[in-house]
Amino acid sequence: MFLTGPPGAGKTYVLNQYIRRAQRQGKTVAVTASTGIAATHIGGTTIHSWSGLGIRDQLTDWDRTMLSQTDRLVKRYNSTDVLVIDEVSMLHGKRLDMVNETAKLLRGTMEPFGGMQVILVGDLFQLPPVSRATELTDFAHTSAAWQELNPHICYITEQHRQRGEDGLLDLLEAMRAGELLTEHQELLQSRIGVRPQEGTAVTRLYSHNVDVDSINDRHLQALATETHTYHMKTKGNRPRVEGLIKSLLAPEALTLKLGAEVMFVANDFTTGFVNGSRGRVIKFENDLPLVRLQTSRTIKVEPYTWAVVEDGKTRAEAVQLPLRLAWAITIHKSQGMSLDAAEIDLSKSFTPGMGYVALSRVRSLDGIYLTGVNAMALQLHPDIYEFDRRLRRQSEELASSTQDAEEEVEPEHTETPYDEELFQRLRLWRLEEARKQSVAPFMIAHDATLMELS
């Protein structure tokens, strides 16, 4: 299956629901992603690490012998029912071919990926695989492995990030369709030079890392308040721990002060924050920061645990506050985030999809403050347009012949009575809160939570 769709359509949410369902049915699911940052969003590891291929660019006969004699890898491949690869748009096709070849070798069959079920997830209009300027882009969907898999297409389109009233969603859809009109150009031009109101917390998105670090340091130093530093705690195999640290958006040493602008870098729907939730440190309580979100909600930030789980075992673990300074961040690291407001510099955009990723992070047009745009900023990769149209058609055909999955039968247990009237009132309350905060209802509370309360 290739699960795709525009930013904010809920690909990660759907994926996580699927993984939980598959695991409840007794399936062993290997959850991986093309990059370390993407892997932390779904509680997985990189495909490079899971596959045992590391940074190899090709497989030699010596590699094949070594891999097939590594008991740990043979056991991993043969015990896996489902292989998930997230953010597949950033994965080189050559890498997908190597995973396919290794799976066949270690599972002893010439079926695609050795007969594992494969779930590819991503949006091909977002950032492409990194390549040298002289090379053609090596997309995953042009690989021999993809053709062999011939995946079913599930293209989800319902938007949970932007609403349609202000023109931003229309602009993003026009970019995806390759149909930018004068009105769309004018819409963007109208945001150039617009400054946020005094006191409005706005994250700056830049194409290069060097801009980000200096801005965050300068703003933190300007706060004349007491310094609180939090050091990451880790355990596990040293190389795995080092790999995990590199993939996290949370820093090893996080320095905060009263008044610091911060951003959450993990999802915790129960506590009330998601990756990209923006706020300000308003107090320290027992040396833990209290962060007031832009929705006015206040959260006491507790340490958060990230883990690398392979073969059902935790190989590495890192514990840190799920925060980073948020005056600035790179566009690359913002992929997967939802922002209420962003000051965006697209004057140094250097790859197709960069402007699209940056603009699609923001919930509304009013939250976009552009400082500059170059010709590359509005470009998406030209090879993707026709392929995307084909994906949509295939998804529609599949949808017309696919029935809803049966409800899962929960294990028998004594049901606790609940108040149906209260449950319905809570659902109405959740809907109202979702409207106020401009978020999807499930981000306020799941039905299961409301049921427990009732």
Side-chain angles (χ1 to χ4, degrees), residues 269-328:
F269 300 120
T270 309
T271 307
F273 61 81
V274 295
N275 182 32
S277 293
R278 184 77 151 69
R280 178 179 286 135
V281 178
I282 59 167
K283 190 180 179 183
F284 289 92
E285 210 172 76
N286 299 324
D287 200 41
L288 289 174
L290 267 67
V291 173
R292 177 164 292 153
L293 299 182
Q294 292 179 321
T295 58
S296 297
R297 184 173 189 165
T298 299
I299 293 174
K300 185 176 183 179
V301 186
E302 305 274 354
Y304 187 94
T305 301
W306 290 268
V308 173
V309 179
E310 285 180 358
D311 312 322
K313 295 179 182 175
T314 300
R315 307 291 182 184
E317 203 170 81
V319 180
Q320 174 63 292
L321 298 184
L323 296 173
R324 66 176 288 133
L325 296 177
W327 285 284

Side-chain angles (χ1 to χ4, degrees), residues 298-430:
T298 299
I299 293 174
K300 185 176 183 179
V301 186
E302 305 274 354
Y304 187 94
T305 301
W306 290 268
V308 173
V309 179
E310 285 180 358
D311 312 322
K313 295 179 182 175
T314 300
R315 307 291 182 184
E317 203 170 81
V319 180
Q320 174 63 292
L321 298 184
L323 296 173
R324 66 176 288 133
L325 296 177
W327 285 284
I329 191 171
T330 62
I331 293 170
H332 182 269
K333 287 180 178 174
S334 76
Q335 191 154 313
M337 290 182 170
S338 297
L339 303 174
D340 291 312
E343 184 179 293
I344 305 172
D345 179 11
L346 295 178
S347 63
K348 297 178 187 173
S349 300
F350 57 86
T351 188
M354 189 165 269
Y356 180 71
V357 168
L359 295 170
S360 61
R361 298 307 96 210
V362 189
R363 297 184 194 279
S364 67
L365 187 69
D366 288 345
I368 292 175
Y369 302 93
L370 282 176
T371 60
V373 179
N374 68 8
M376 177 62 78
L378 301 184
Q379 290 183 29
L380 298 176
H381 204 285
D383 296 347
I384 302 298
Y385 292 114
E386 180 50 41
F387 186 64
D388 186 70
R389 283 190 278 272
R390 196 177 353 143
L391 293 177
R392 283 179 182 261
R393 286 195 299 271
Q394 289 177 305
S395 179
E396 286 165 6
E397 287 167 11
L398 185 63
S400 67
S401 62
T402 303
Q403 295 183 340
D404 287 346
E406 292 180 12
E407 287 294 322
E408 287 185 288
V409 179
E410 295 288 336
E412 284 191 24
H413 63 279
T414 308
E415 283 202 8
T416 307
Y418 75 100
D419 186 328
E420 174 66 33
E421 185 186 345
L422 178 57
F423 176 61
Q424 295 304 330
R425 283 167 58 199
L426 285 171
R427 293 187 77 186
L428 288 172
W429 163 82
R430 176 181 63 180

